[in-house]
Amino acid sequence: MRTTNTFGVHFWLRKNQIQDGKHPLYVRITVNKKRLELALKQYLSPKDWNASKGEAKNKSPELKEVNSYLMNVRAKLTAHYQDLQLDKEVVTAEMVKQRFLGIDPDTQSSNMTLIDLIDRHIKEKPEGLTEGTIKNYRATKKYLERYLKQVLRRNDITLRELNYDFIVRLEPFIKSTPLKANDPCTINGTMKHLERLKKLTAWAKKQKWLREDPFKSFQLRFKETDIPHLKRHELQRIEEQPDFPNKMLNMVRDLFLFSCYTGLGPKDLTSLKPANILLEDDGNLWIKTRRSKTNISVDVPLLPQALRIIKKYELKEGDIPRQSLFPVVTNKDLNDSLKVIAAICGVQQEVTFYTARHTFATTVTLKNKVPLETVSKLMGHTKLATTLKYAKIEKDNIGQAMEMVKERL
């Protein structure tokens, strides 16, 4: 049975200590008639202090700011006391003080801060983070640092200060405060940053650095979007386009088409080596590799279109030696070249290298009746739901299905 506790907070000036004519400000925490005192590292002149009210006299903006600080201290102490009441049979003033100072005997690292958490997460890579994912976490860190400085006027906060209100106010800040000029974060981009913060807090809770999940009542709201991919006739236009006068455009076109027929992402393609191409028992050549993003094993049988591109880039006498199956091209060169290729080939939609991966999931596989489960395996997905997002069911597939229903009826 829980005991009934009494609790009080009182602010006062310690008159037996003085510095430059000012006395230090203390808070007295009382629980069940037992009290202790804590220095607040603020100094005030006795003429500016109202002893009966336990607050500064509101004579100037500076003194009003002191009172605002005291209200904040009182609120935090009260919140810590109430949290302890929920967790403990007996609450003491020392427990409240320790919580306020970020010291918790039940949680060794309870003074962990938000920025420390991100840095530690990146350093320890608890989920086997790739360089691309780490880059995304660093972008999230930049948003959080700006939010702390611009909104909360602080450089950092302890994890115990994270709450629902912090997240609710962070969401519109990310949307309205782009990291790059004239490049605001989209709804889904904002949700991805919040999703990373949610993963961080979940990790902190698992490590017992955080008691309460600040995302407990917060719902991530991703906007459903159509994932762009090439239709069959658009893919054919790029395949049948005569060679470009520019060597880079031809190379990027080949790499893009290879991805369209294998489903490999740009980083997977860059790391592909001749040793990853193996002859299997079925007499066909297969790609055997691991997805750089998830480290999931991926086995893909090579279609004739992909085999022709591999043959084209086999090293010949006089070529510059390389370890990779294909010449390495930067992401910038890939996507810049694809814009030119799309324009020349009359493809109206925006084309990036990931369009090729989506095209493999839809036009090349699902469109040709490859089962969804098989496509998921070929794509290296860990969840079937992920494949559903990549693999859009086309309208003519729906039409064909309904025609079959009509015939049976």
Side-chain angles (χ1 to χ4, degrees), residues 280-313:
E280 288 295 290
D281 293 339
D282 61 1
N284 294 313
L285 289 172
W286 288 57
I287 293 174
K288 286 188 166 291
T289 185
R290 287 184 175 274
R291 286 227 57 209
S292 58
K293 186 176 180 180
T294 59
N295 200 36
I296 297 295
S297 176
V298 177
D299 298 345
V300 183
L302 284 165
L303 296 169
Q305 295 90 334
L307 282 167
R308 284 196 293 270
I309 294 170
I310 289 177
K311 188 73 176 173
K312 181 176 178 180
Y313 286 90

Side-chain angles (χ1 to χ4, degrees), residues 227-230 238 248-271 291 309 326-339 341-342 349-361 379 390:
I227 297 177
H229 64 279
L230 298 181
I238 294 176
M248 176 62 75
L249 290 181
N250 287 317
M251 188 186 303
V252 170
R253 191 252 302 266
D254 291 337
L255 296 177
F256 179 80
L257 290 174
F258 188 83
S259 182
C260 285
Y261 287 107
T262 61
L264 296 183
K267 192 162 185 181
D268 301 319
L269 203 58
T270 301
S271 61
R291 286 227 57 209
I309 294 170
F326 299 110
V328 176
V329 181
T330 66
N331 279 339
K332 186 177 186 307
D333 283 338
L334 283 173
N335 289 317
D336 286 350
S337 298
L338 283 171
K339 289 177 184 177
I341 292 168
Q349 65 170 298
E350 181 183 2
V351 177
T352 69
F353 205 85
Y354 277 99
T355 308
R357 185 163 161 79
H358 307 156
T359 299
F360 175 76
M379 297 280 282
Y390 275 87

Side-chain angles (χ1 to χ4, degrees), residues 44-63:
L44 282 180
S45 170
K47 64 183 177 60
D48 293 328
W49 182 252
N50 187 328
S52 62
K53 291 185 177 180
E55 64 180 34
K57 296 175 182 178
N58 283 325
K59 297 189 300 182
S60 66
E62 291 78 11
L63 291 174

Side-chain angles (χ1 to χ4, degrees), residues 390-406:
Y390 275 87
K392 176 186 173 184
I393 299 174
E394 308 247 356
K395 286 183 180 178
D396 51 355
N397 280 1
I398 297 172
Q400 290 170 13
M402 293 309 294
E403 283 297 323
M404 291 173 61
V405 172
K406 281 164 63 177

Side-chain angles (χ1 to χ4, degrees), residues 64 68 91 100 114 156 182 193 206 245-246 259 270 274 280 289 296 347 400:
K64 288 179 180 179
S68 177
V91 181
F100 180 77
L114 179 58
D156 206 349
N182 303 314
H193 286 295
K206 186 177 179 181
N246 182 293
S259 182
T270 301
E280 288 295 290
T289 185
I296 297 295
V347 177
Q400 290 170 13

